[in-house]
Amino acid sequence: MPELPEVETTKTSLTPLLGQKITALKIFQPKLRWVMPDDLETLVDYVLDSVERRAKYLILNFSSAIPNTATQADRPKTRQLLIHLGMSGSLQQLTYGTDKRKHDHLVIEFTDDNNERSQLHYYDPRRFGSVLWYQDYGSKLLDHLGPEPLSDVFTADYLYHLIQRTKNEAVETTISSKSSRPITRPIKSVIMEKQVVVGVGNIYATESLYLSGIHPATPAHHLSYDQITTLVGHIKVILQKAIKLGGSTLRDFTVADGQTGYFQQTLNVYGRQGEACLHCQTVLENVKLNGRASVYCALCQPLI
């Protein structure tokens, strides 16, 4: 599944399309996780102004290239698409005239100021992604999400007080703050909850815990403030490194320019069960938490 770094990499890779106008749009398979809107073709003659990311969603912002006239009175000046890549989706910018492939469900034609054309393909073999109007689904899908992991909101103060249920302004709006009892769930499960913090997927949670010397099954409320500080720091560094390297090399994932990521080549423990720890040579073990594999080193990450 494309994680936050992959989605951030996709966002960046769409930069060449900024300022370009949609001149054609064709839906080939509308049935994704949710059915694509049947009026997506109304995006023709809109210009892509910017691309944002919230959690693992992409928000594409458009403005109309047609001057406001009496005949265009009902045409919105701006439109927004909300895109999620699901389990296997990708947005791929391809040469104009590229034939539709088996799992291309949406093809958008862009034209620049020099009348050079290109195509953006939404490719998704498993069809768990989504392409929706932001105005219809933005609030429903985004309002409950926790802070971005690379933002100034996601700090040791925030995570520690959220876990311990102690008063802190940063956690007032989270659903976890509704209870007065400390969070006793495994720390790995907690940092993977999107209401706590978005975008810390299995790979990045596993790697961050290893670098922090924290066993993934450690009850969250057992961690000291110093341990939380170390963990938050490693989450940020790991994600920044993954973004720089283009994300993980996942079997089904490529970014808009067709390139894959290289972060998986730098993994310390994820996917290495039964191999030697790179630090102490102890054989790496695996524990399942919430159905997810959690590889760890029993010596470097003792359970407390």
XYZ file of all heavy atoms in Angstrom, residues 90-182:
775
model
N -1.730 4.311 -8.383
C -0.677 5.285 -8.667
C -1.179 6.257 -9.725
O -2.059 5.933 -10.525
C 0.614 4.604 -9.137
O 0.403 3.879 -10.338
N -0.604 7.458 -9.688
C -0.842 8.448 -10.731
C 0.419 8.521 -11.569
O 1.501 8.813 -11.056
C -1.148 9.814 -10.111
C -2.515 9.975 -9.443
C -2.585 11.296 -8.694
C -3.643 9.883 -10.462
N 0.299 8.266 -12.855
C 1.469 8.172 -13.724
C 1.331 9.134 -14.893
O 0.362 9.067 -15.658
C 1.639 6.734 -14.222
C 1.805 5.729 -13.090
C 1.888 4.300 -13.585
O 2.110 4.050 -14.766
N 1.708 3.348 -12.687
N 2.302 10.032 -15.005
C 2.327 10.981 -16.110
C 3.032 10.324 -17.288
O 4.211 9.979 -17.208
C 3.053 12.260 -15.690
C 2.978 13.352 -16.742
C 3.681 14.616 -16.291
O 3.997 14.763 -15.128
N 3.927 15.513 -17.218
N 2.315 10.152 -18.390
C 2.834 9.417 -19.539
C 2.785 10.282 -20.805
O 2.104 11.306 -20.859
C 2.030 8.129 -19.750
C 1.997 7.170 -18.546
C 1.054 6.018 -18.809
C 3.385 6.669 -18.200
N 3.511 9.841 -21.812
C 3.567 10.558 -23.087
C 2.186 10.583 -23.735
O 1.438 9.598 -23.693
C 4.569 9.859 -24.030
O 5.834 9.785 -23.381
C 4.707 10.623 -25.330
N 1.871 11.709 -24.361
C 0.598 11.826 -25.054
C 0.491 10.747 -26.134
O 1.432 10.514 -26.899
C 0.449 13.206 -25.701
C -0.812 13.335 -26.508
C -2.052 13.429 -25.889
C -0.766 13.330 -27.909
C -3.213 13.533 -26.622
C -1.930 13.440 -28.655
C -3.157 13.535 -28.001
O -4.315 13.624 -28.735
N -0.655 10.094 -26.188
C -0.887 9.030 -27.152
C -0.647 7.641 -26.587
O -0.885 6.640 -27.273
N -0.182 7.558 -25.323
C 0.000 6.251 -24.689
C -1.341 5.531 -24.618
O -2.352 6.105 -24.196
C 0.577 6.409 -23.264
O 1.849 7.051 -23.331
C 0.728 5.059 -22.594
N -1.347 4.284 -25.049
C -2.591 3.518 -25.041
C -3.048 3.225 -23.615
O -2.239 3.083 -22.693
C -2.403 2.199 -25.787
C -2.228 2.395 -27.281
O -2.675 3.443 -27.796
O -1.625 1.511 -27.930
N -4.344 3.107 -23.461
C -4.927 2.726 -22.190
C -4.497 1.306 -21.853
O -4.572 0.408 -22.692
C -6.450 2.851 -22.277
C -7.201 2.538 -20.994
C -7.750 1.139 -20.987
C -8.516 0.857 -19.696
N -8.828 -0.583 -19.556
N -4.033 1.098 -20.612
C -3.608 -0.229 -20.167
C -4.721 -0.900 -19.376
O -5.727 -0.270 -19.046
C -2.340 -0.111 -19.319
C -1.156 0.517 -20.073
C -0.092 0.994 -19.115
N -0.626 2.013 -18.203
C 0.073 2.580 -17.234
N 1.331 2.214 -17.029
N -0.480 3.493 -16.460
N -4.522 -2.159 -19.034
C -5.577 -2.960 -18.414
C -6.146 -2.308 -17.161
O -7.360 -2.313 -16.955
C -5.041 -4.354 -18.076
C -6.079 -5.266 -17.432
C -5.508 -6.642 -17.165
C -6.550 -7.542 -16.521
N -6.011 -8.894 -16.221
N -5.301 -1.779 -16.300
C -5.766 -1.254 -15.013
C -5.781 0.277 -14.954
O -5.787 0.848 -13.873
C -4.905 -1.817 -13.884
C -4.959 -3.315 -13.789
N -6.115 -3.999 -13.490
C -3.989 -4.258 -13.969
C -5.865 -5.304 -13.479
N -4.587 -5.473 -13.770
N -5.783 0.929 -16.120
C -5.969 2.377 -16.168
C -7.469 2.665 -16.087
O -8.224 2.316 -16.993
C -5.418 2.959 -17.473
C -3.910 3.022 -17.491
O -3.311 3.133 -16.404
O -3.324 2.965 -18.591
N -7.910 3.302 -15.008
C -9.336 3.547 -14.809
C -9.741 4.979 -15.147
O -10.919 5.258 -15.350
C -9.719 3.226 -13.367
C -9.293 1.859 -12.940
N -9.556 0.738 -13.700
C -8.598 1.430 -11.855
C -9.052 -0.338 -13.093
N -8.468 0.060 -11.981
N -8.748 5.868 -15.202
C -9.011 7.267 -15.528
C -7.798 7.814 -16.264
O -6.661 7.609 -15.827
C -9.258 8.072 -14.248
C -9.367 9.599 -14.381
C -10.636 9.979 -15.139
C -9.348 10.254 -13.004
N -8.034 8.491 -17.388
C -6.945 9.135 -18.129
C -7.327 10.601 -18.349
O -8.397 10.906 -18.882
C -6.680 8.446 -19.486
C -5.628 9.228 -20.274
C -6.227 7.007 -19.273
N -6.433 11.492 -17.899
C -6.655 12.927 -18.035
C -5.597 13.504 -18.973
O -4.396 13.271 -18.769
C -6.573 13.641 -16.667
C -7.562 13.021 -15.677
C -6.848 15.135 -16.830
C -7.462 13.595 -14.270
N -6.029 14.222 -19.972
C -5.102 14.859 -20.910
C -4.863 16.307 -20.490
O -5.813 17.066 -20.281
C -5.672 14.826 -22.327
C -4.820 15.536 -23.370
C -5.533 15.640 -24.704
O -5.970 14.588 -25.224
O -5.679 16.777 -25.216
N -3.592 16.658 -20.355
C -3.193 18.021 -20.009
C -2.496 18.669 -21.201
O -1.773 18.001 -21.944
C -2.236 18.024 -18.814
C -2.903 17.808 -17.488
C -3.114 16.528 -17.001
C -3.306 18.885 -16.713
C -3.714 16.318 -15.771
C -3.908 18.690 -15.478
C -4.112 17.401 -15.007
N -2.670 19.978 -21.331
C -1.998 20.738 -22.387
C -1.356 21.969 -21.758
O -2.006 22.701 -20.997
C -2.993 21.169 -23.474
O -3.629 20.014 -24.013
C -2.276 21.926 -24.593
N -0.067 22.204 -22.102
C 0.626 23.363 -21.534
C 0.507 24.577 -22.454
O -0.172 24.532 -23.489
C 2.088 23.028 -21.208
C 2.920 22.722 -22.454
O 2.485 23.062 -23.585
O 4.017 22.140 -22.306
N 1.187 25.661 -22.094
C 1.080 26.905 -22.864
C 1.669 26.794 -24.261
O 1.394 27.624 -25.135
C 1.784 28.044 -22.109
C 1.046 28.428 -20.834
O -0.162 28.137 -20.754
O 1.683 29.000 -19.931
N 2.497 25.791 -24.480
C 3.097 25.574 -25.805
C 2.334 24.537 -26.617
O 2.828 24.042 -27.629
C 4.552 25.134 -25.647
C 5.410 26.189 -24.980
O 5.296 27.368 -25.299
N 6.266 25.768 -24.052
N 1.137 24.203 -26.138
C 0.285 23.191 -26.770
C 0.913 21.799 -26.781
O 0.570 20.962 -27.616
C -0.090 23.606 -28.210
C -1.104 24.735 -28.212
O -2.009 24.774 -27.372
N -0.948 25.668 -29.141
N 1.853 21.583 -25.861
C 2.405 20.237 -25.674
C 1.457 19.467 -24.761
O 1.047 19.963 -23.701
C 3.794 20.306 -25.038
C 4.851 20.967 -25.914
C 5.237 20.099 -27.104
O 5.081 18.850 -26.998
O 5.678 20.643 -28.128
N 1.135 18.240 -25.172
C 0.167 17.467 -24.412
C 0.820 16.283 -23.692
O 1.815 15.732 -24.155
C -0.944 16.963 -25.339
C -1.827 18.087 -25.879
C -2.949 17.569 -26.747
N -2.465 17.138 -28.059
C -3.236 16.698 -29.050
N -4.553 16.622 -28.856
N -2.727 16.348 -30.199
N 0.232 15.910 -22.573
C 0.664 14.718 -21.836
C -0.559 14.085 -21.199
O -1.657 14.674 -21.204
C 1.703 15.080 -20.766
O 1.143 15.953 -19.809
N -0.383 12.902 -20.648
C -1.502 12.176 -20.065
C -1.182 11.784 -18.624
O -0.073 11.363 -18.319
C -1.810 10.904 -20.873
C -2.286 11.182 -22.275
C -2.450 9.932 -23.125
O -2.707 10.017 -24.322
N -2.289 8.757 -22.511
N -2.175 11.926 -17.768
C -2.081 11.461 -16.391
C -3.023 10.282 -16.239
O -4.230 10.415 -16.424
C -2.460 12.582 -15.414
C -2.290 12.250 -13.931
C -0.818 12.032 -13.583
C -2.887 13.363 -13.057
N -2.447 9.124 -15.911
C -3.234 7.888 -15.784
C -3.412 7.534 -14.314
O -2.423 7.509 -13.555
C -2.522 6.726 -16.479
C -2.480 6.833 -17.964
N -2.727 5.757 -18.804
C -2.226 7.884 -18.786
C -2.607 6.144 -20.059
N -2.298 7.427 -20.067
N -4.653 7.275 -13.915
C -4.888 6.683 -12.597
C -4.926 5.182 -12.798
O -5.836 4.633 -13.427
C -6.194 7.171 -11.958
C -6.437 6.483 -10.627
C -5.705 6.849 -9.500
C -7.335 5.432 -10.526
C -5.882 6.185 -8.300
C -7.519 4.773 -9.320
C -6.791 5.153 -8.217
O -6.951 4.484 -7.027
N -3.905 4.507 -12.254
C -3.695 3.069 -12.456
C -3.899 2.361 -11.125
O -3.276 2.727 -10.123
C -2.279 2.857 -12.976
C -1.856 1.422 -13.181
C -2.098 0.770 -14.386
C -1.176 0.721 -12.185
C -1.693 -0.542 -14.591
C -0.769 -0.586 -12.371
C -1.030 -1.212 -13.577
O -0.620 -2.508 -13.767
N -4.765 1.343 -11.071
C -5.079 0.713 -9.788
C -5.586 -0.715 -10.002
O -6.784 -0.941 -10.181
C -6.136 1.554 -9.063
C -6.345 1.107 -7.629
O -5.768 0.091 -7.217
O -7.097 1.798 -6.905
N -4.681 -1.714 -9.966
C -5.089 -3.098 -10.202
C -6.152 -3.604 -9.228
O -7.061 -4.328 -9.605
C -3.781 -3.878 -10.046
C -2.709 -2.893 -10.364
C -3.211 -1.586 -9.827
N -6.043 -3.221 -7.944
C -6.967 -3.766 -6.945
C -8.223 -2.909 -6.759
O -9.171 -3.336 -6.090
C -6.247 -3.940 -5.609
C -5.022 -4.841 -5.720
C -4.388 -5.073 -4.367
N -3.042 -5.611 -4.486
C -2.256 -5.894 -3.456
N -2.679 -5.685 -2.231
N -1.049 -6.369 -3.648
N -8.195 -1.704 -7.270
C -9.372 -0.821 -7.261
C -9.889 -0.502 -5.864
O -11.089 -0.393 -5.638
C -10.487 -1.427 -8.123
C -10.171 -1.362 -9.606
C -11.065 -2.216 -10.455
N -12.464 -2.113 -10.112
C -13.402 -2.949 -10.550
N -13.060 -3.950 -11.346
N -14.651 -2.799 -10.206
N -8.972 -0.307 -4.909
C -9.361 0.126 -3.565
C -9.155 1.630 -3.380
O -9.400 2.159 -2.297
C -8.563 -0.627 -2.502
C -9.009 -2.044 -2.297
C -8.088 -3.082 -2.318
C -10.339 -2.350 -2.093
C -8.489 -4.394 -2.132
C -10.755 -3.662 -1.904
C -9.825 -4.683 -1.926
N -8.693 2.305 -4.420
C -8.485 3.744 -4.329
C -9.772 4.506 -4.578
O -10.866 3.927 -4.679
N -9.637 5.825 -4.690
C -10.835 6.637 -4.924
C -10.459 7.939 -5.613
O -9.376 8.484 -5.412
C -11.558 6.938 -3.609
O -10.701 7.605 -2.700
N -11.376 8.424 -6.449
C -11.277 9.726 -7.098
C -12.632 10.394 -6.895
O -13.638 9.949 -7.455
C -10.948 9.599 -8.602
C -10.870 10.981 -9.247
C -9.652 8.831 -8.818
N -12.655 11.445 -6.070
C -13.912 12.029 -5.639
C -13.839 13.554 -5.693
O -12.755 14.133 -5.734
C -14.217 11.607 -4.190
C -14.262 10.106 -3.907
C -14.200 9.854 -2.409
C -15.530 9.489 -4.491
N -14.997 14.189 -5.658
C -15.034 15.643 -5.473
C -14.765 15.947 -4.005
O -15.404 15.387 -3.116
C -16.387 16.217 -5.874
C -16.711 16.191 -7.332
C -17.775 15.589 -7.921
C -15.979 16.831 -8.397
N -17.764 15.790 -9.281
C -16.668 16.552 -9.601
C -14.814 17.587 -8.445
C -16.233 17.006 -10.831
C -14.371 18.044 -9.682
C -15.075 17.764 -10.843
N -13.850 16.854 -3.752
C -13.516 17.217 -2.375
C -14.747 17.750 -1.640
O -14.961 17.449 -0.456
C -12.405 18.264 -2.374
C -11.984 18.703 -0.986
C -10.980 18.039 -0.302
C -12.599 19.795 -0.362
C -10.596 18.432 0.971
C -12.223 20.196 0.900
C -11.220 19.514 1.560
O -10.858 19.905 2.819
N -15.551 18.527 -2.321
C -16.705 19.154 -1.664
C -17.698 18.125 -1.140
O -18.432 18.392 -0.181
C -17.417 20.097 -2.646
C -18.060 19.368 -3.827
C -18.568 20.315 -4.890
O -17.881 21.254 -5.265
N -19.771 20.069 -5.383
N -17.724 16.940 -1.729
C -18.665 15.901 -1.320
C -18.119 15.010 -0.203
O -18.883 14.494 0.618
C -19.045 15.023 -2.518
C -19.792 15.794 -3.593
O -20.441 16.807 -3.242
O -19.711 15.404 -4.766
N -16.805 14.806 -0.180
C -16.241 13.820 0.735
C -15.133 14.354 1.647
O -14.711 13.656 2.571
C -15.663 12.642 -0.067
C -16.710 11.713 -0.633
C -17.303 11.977 -1.856
C -17.098 10.573 0.056
C -18.265 11.131 -2.387
C -18.057 9.717 -0.456
C -18.632 9.997 -1.684
O -19.594 9.149 -2.198
N -14.640 15.569 1.410
C -13.507 16.075 2.169
C -13.717 16.064 3.665
O -12.890 15.556 4.433
N -14.829 16.619 4.111
C -15.096 16.698 5.545
C -15.249 15.306 6.154
O -14.687 15.010 7.213
C -16.359 17.531 5.795
O -16.639 17.600 7.171
N -15.977 14.438 5.484
C -16.232 13.086 5.985
C -14.949 12.283 6.138
O -14.780 11.535 7.117
C -17.190 12.372 5.022
C -17.396 10.900 5.323
C -18.266 10.248 4.263
C -18.402 8.747 4.489
N -19.220 8.102 3.421
N -14.014 12.439 5.210
C -12.820 11.605 5.197
C -11.627 12.214 5.929
O -10.717 11.480 6.332
C -12.423 11.303 3.747
C -13.428 10.479 2.944
C -12.962 10.349 1.498
C -13.624 9.105 3.560
N -11.628 13.531 6.128
C -10.434 14.182 6.654
C -10.590 14.802 8.036
O -9.594 14.938 8.762
C -9.958 15.276 5.680
C -9.666 14.845 4.237
C -9.159 16.037 3.439
C -8.666 13.703 4.196
N -11.788 15.178 8.414
C -11.957 15.972 9.636
C -11.534 15.238 10.908
O -11.146 15.866 11.895
C -13.408 16.436 9.780
C -13.742 17.598 8.863
O -12.829 18.066 8.142
O -14.907 18.021 8.837
N -11.621 13.903 10.919
C -11.327 13.142 12.137
C -9.850 12.763 12.264
O -9.456 12.137 13.244
C -12.153 11.854 12.148
C -11.774 10.902 11.054
N -12.065 11.141 9.726
C -11.094 9.723 11.078
C -11.600 10.142 8.988
N -11.004 9.279 9.785
N -9.036 13.129 11.290
C -7.649 12.678 11.262
C -6.776 13.425 12.275
O -7.003 14.584 12.594
C -7.068 12.866 9.863
C -7.731 12.068 8.741
C -7.081 12.403 7.408
C -7.658 10.565 9.015
N -5.749 12.733 12.761
C -4.779 13.330 13.660
C -3.820 14.224 12.913
O -3.946 14.440 11.702
N -2.824 14.765 13.606
C -1.883 15.696 12.980
C -0.951 15.017 11.994
O -0.757 13.795 12.033
C -1.110 16.264 14.173
C -1.188 15.204 15.211
C -2.544 14.580 15.045
N -0.369 15.819 11.125
C 0.666 15.335 10.221
C 1.936 15.033 11.027
O 2.321 15.817 11.895
C 0.973 16.387 9.159
C -0.137 16.624 8.169
C -0.275 15.479 7.171
O 0.765 14.851 6.859
O -1.394 15.237 6.718
N 2.614 13.933 10.759
C 3.788 13.559 11.560
C 4.967 14.509 11.417
O 5.799 14.599 12.322
C 4.139 12.168 11.038
C 3.561 12.116 9.663
C 2.312 12.932 9.729
N 5.055 15.232 10.299
C 6.166 16.152 10.094
C 5.801 17.594 10.458
O 6.593 18.502 10.232
C 6.652 16.081 8.645
C 7.182 14.712 8.206
C 7.601 14.738 6.746
C 8.336 14.260 9.096
N 4.625 17.766 11.036
C 4.183 19.112 11.421
C 4.690 19.460 12.815
O 5.152 18.598 13.583
C 2.654 19.193 11.398
O 2.112 18.439 12.484
N 4.559 20.726 13.158
C 4.953 21.193 14.484
C 3.976 20.737 15.562
O 4.280 20.827 16.757
C 5.055 22.723 14.504
C 6.202 23.245 13.649
O 7.147 22.464 13.394
O 6.146 24.411 13.218
N 2.806 20.256 15.155
C 1.805 19.789 16.128
C 2.198 18.434 16.703
O 1.972 18.158 17.887
C 0.411 19.716 15.468
C -0.620 19.152 16.437
C -0.011 21.093 14.975
N 2.787 17.579 15.876
C 3.175 16.247 16.336
C 4.508 16.345 17.071
O 5.575 16.381 16.469
C 3.277 15.271 15.167
C 3.607 13.863 15.594
C 2.752 13.163 16.422
C 4.786 13.250 15.172
C 3.047 11.862 16.827
C 5.097 11.958 15.572
C 4.220 11.264 16.403
N 4.424 16.396 18.380
C 5.594 16.544 19.234
C 5.553 15.496 20.339
O 4.547 14.791 20.527
C 5.614 17.934 19.890
O 4.446 18.063 20.732
C 5.624 19.046 18.846
N 6.639 15.423 21.100
C 6.665 14.526 22.261
C 5.598 14.946 23.266
O 4.927 14.098 23.871
C 8.053 14.543 22.895
N 5.429 16.248 23.460
C 4.385 16.739 24.364
C 3.019 16.214 23.951
O 2.242 15.719 24.778
C 4.358 18.276 24.348
C 5.162 18.874 25.491
O 5.774 18.118 26.261
O 5.180 20.114 25.597
N 2.729 16.373 22.668
C 1.434 15.918 22.151
C 1.229 14.429 22.391
O 0.216 14.011 22.978
C 1.335 16.219 20.650
C 0.244 15.447 19.945
C -1.084 15.860 20.013
C 0.541 14.284 19.226
C -2.097 15.144 19.393
C -0.457 13.561 18.601
C -1.773 13.990 18.683
O -2.764 13.267 18.062
N 2.179 13.581 21.965
C 1.988 12.138 22.049
C 1.997 11.656 23.492
O 1.183 10.808 23.872
C 3.075 11.423 21.238
C 2.924 9.900 21.120
C 1.572 9.535 20.506
C 4.055 9.315 20.272
N 2.892 12.183 24.315
C 2.966 11.746 25.715
C 1.670 12.069 26.456
O 1.099 11.218 27.144
C 4.154 12.406 26.413
C 4.283 11.995 27.866
C 4.864 10.772 28.218
C 3.818 12.825 28.889
C 4.967 10.389 29.544
C 3.921 12.450 30.219
C 4.496 11.229 30.542
O 4.589 10.846 31.857
N 1.194 13.298 26.317
C -0.017 13.687 27.040
C -1.252 12.992 26.484
O -2.194 12.710 27.235
C -0.184 15.203 27.003
C 0.818 15.932 27.848
N 0.831 15.852 29.221
C 1.860 16.736 27.522
C 1.818 16.575 29.707
N 2.468 17.123 28.695
N -1.256 12.712 25.198
C -2.377 11.958 24.632
C -2.417 10.553 25.224
O -3.484 10.048 25.592
C -2.248 11.897 23.110
C -3.385 11.225 22.353
C -3.568 11.892 20.992
C -3.119 9.731 22.138
N -1.264 9.916 25.325
C -1.192 8.557 25.878
C -1.559 8.545 27.359
O -2.322 7.693 27.827
C 0.213 7.958 25.655
C 0.432 7.666 24.170
C 0.414 6.693 26.488
C 1.860 7.293 23.821
N -1.029 9.493 28.102
C -1.261 9.528 29.550
C -2.588 10.177 29.930
O -3.003 10.121 31.090
C -0.114 10.276 30.229
C 1.250 9.636 30.050
C 1.322 8.230 30.630
O 0.569 7.868 31.542
N 2.231 7.414 30.096
N -3.280 10.769 28.949
C -4.569 11.448 29.162
C -4.429 12.627 30.124
O -5.332 12.909 30.917
C -5.609 10.486 29.726
C -5.726 9.177 28.997
C -6.317 9.326 27.617
N -6.687 8.014 27.111
C -7.351 7.803 25.988
N -7.717 8.821 25.256
N -7.635 6.590 25.584
N -3.305 13.286 30.058
C -3.112 14.473 30.875
C -3.405 15.705 30.042
O -3.380 15.656 28.816
C -1.676 14.533 31.428
O -0.749 14.291 30.359
C -1.470 13.493 32.514
N -3.681 16.812 30.695
C -4.125 18.010 29.996
C -3.024 18.585 29.121
O -1.896 18.765 29.553
C -4.588 19.061 30.998
C -5.902 18.707 31.691
C -6.371 19.839 32.584
C -7.711 19.494 33.233
N -8.191 20.593 34.111
N -3.396 18.859 27.886
C -2.475 19.473 26.935
C -3.302 20.021 25.789
O -4.159 19.327 25.242
C -1.455 18.445 26.425
C -0.440 19.046 25.488
O -0.711 19.212 24.312
N 0.732 19.372 26.012
N -3.073 21.268 25.412
C -3.873 21.907 24.370
C -3.838 21.144 23.062
O -4.813 21.096 22.321
C -3.390 23.344 24.138
C -3.672 24.279 25.295
C -3.220 25.688 24.994
O -2.740 25.924 23.864
O -3.338 26.552 25.884
N -2.705 20.521 22.748
C -2.539 19.872 21.448
C -3.447 18.674 21.279
O -3.749 18.272 20.162
C -1.085 19.451 21.256
N -3.902 18.054 22.390
C -4.700 16.837 22.254
C -6.179 17.074 22.526
O -6.963 16.133 22.542
C -4.179 15.724 23.199
C -2.746 15.406 22.894
C -4.352 16.109 24.663
N -6.576 18.311 22.704
C -7.965 18.589 23.049
C -8.954 18.140 21.986
O -10.087 17.796 22.294
C -8.145 20.082 23.327
C -7.579 20.512 24.679
C -7.833 21.972 24.951
O -8.361 22.654 24.045
O -7.502 22.437 26.056
N -8.526 18.150 20.717
C -9.459 17.834 19.628
C -9.390 16.384 19.183
O -10.099 15.984 18.274
C -9.175 18.722 18.403
O -7.824 18.510 17.983
C -9.362 20.189 18.757
N -8.541 15.558 19.795
C -8.431 14.165 19.374
C -9.483 13.318 20.061
O -9.895 13.583 21.187
C -7.045 13.587 19.712
O -6.921 13.497 21.132
C -5.936 14.455 19.143
N -9.891 12.250 19.389
C -10.911 11.385 19.978
C -10.364 10.656 21.189
O -11.108 10.286 22.085
C -11.447 10.371 18.944
C -10.339 9.420 18.474
C -12.087 11.050 17.780
C -10.854 8.226 17.725
N -9.039 10.446 21.225
C -8.444 9.714 22.330
C -8.530 10.475 23.633
O -8.422 9.898 24.697
C -6.974 9.401 22.010
O -6.882 8.573 20.886
N -8.704 11.793 23.566
C -8.725 12.589 24.785
C -10.069 12.534 25.502
O -10.237 13.136 26.551
C -8.382 14.044 24.454
O -9.361 14.597 23.607
N -11.039 11.797 24.962
C -12.353 11.718 25.575
C -12.347 10.838 26.828
O -13.233 10.926 27.660
C -13.378 11.194 24.565
C -13.640 12.162 23.418
C -14.676 11.601 22.468
C -14.959 12.581 21.325
N -15.952 12.054 20.372
N -11.388 9.950 26.952
C -11.292 9.079 28.106
C -10.237 9.618 29.057
O -9.271 10.249 28.659
C -10.915 7.665 27.662
O -10.618 6.864 28.789
N -10.410 9.329 30.351
C -9.446 9.785 31.351
C -8.385 8.732 31.652
O -7.421 9.012 32.356
C -10.171 10.155 32.644
O -10.862 9.023 33.167
N -8.565 7.532 31.113
C -7.611 6.460 31.380
C -6.453 6.492 30.376
O -6.667 6.705 29.190
C -8.299 5.096 31.304
C -9.340 4.868 32.396
C -9.921 3.478 32.282
N -10.885 3.213 33.339
C -11.517 2.053 33.487
N -11.290 1.065 32.609
N -12.364 1.878 34.481
N -5.232 6.245 30.844
C -4.093 6.186 29.919
C -4.282 5.106 28.863
O -5.009 4.123 29.075
C -2.915 5.851 30.847
C -3.348 6.325 32.198
C -4.833 6.081 32.247
